[in-house]
Amino acid sequence: MIIGGHSHTFIDKPCVVNGIPIVQAGTDLISRFDLMIDTDNNCIDSFNWTTIPIHSETCPGTRCWKTSS
């Protein structure tokens, strides 16, 4: 598994290269990566990638939202 984050590029689903899932952390969102690990074979059995945008509807009660000028 590779999780990038430097470029903040949004990728809506993981790219899999040679059996290795690759994702980006993105920006203005929370990413959740659920992994099922095959401990007998020391590998990822399956995974689920979900992104949740960060804004006042998904994170109510936060006082520091970006406002447009």
Side-chain angles (χ1 to χ4, degrees):
M1 167 179 64
I2 299 171
I3 302 174
H6 181 73
S7 69
H8 300 283
T9 304
F10 175 72
I11 299 175
D12 61 346
K13 64 180 183 176
C15 176
V16 179
V17 177
N18 294 327
I20 300 169
I22 303 170
V23 297
Q24 275 281 10
T27 187
D28 294 331
L29 56 88
I30 297 169
S31 301
R32 179 176 171 153
F33 209 164
D34 295 315
L35 303 170
M36 293 299 294
I37 306 297
D38 179 342
T39 55
D40 292 330
N41 294 305
N42 196 29
C43 64
I44 297 172
D45 182 57
S46 63
F47 63 87
N48 184 40
W49 172 257
T50 306
T51 57
I52 303 165
I54 299 173
H55 50 67
S56 60
E57 292 177 21
T58 57
C59 298
T62 302
R63 297 179 187 182
C64 299
W65 293 113
K66 293 179 186 176
T67 57
S68 55
S69 311

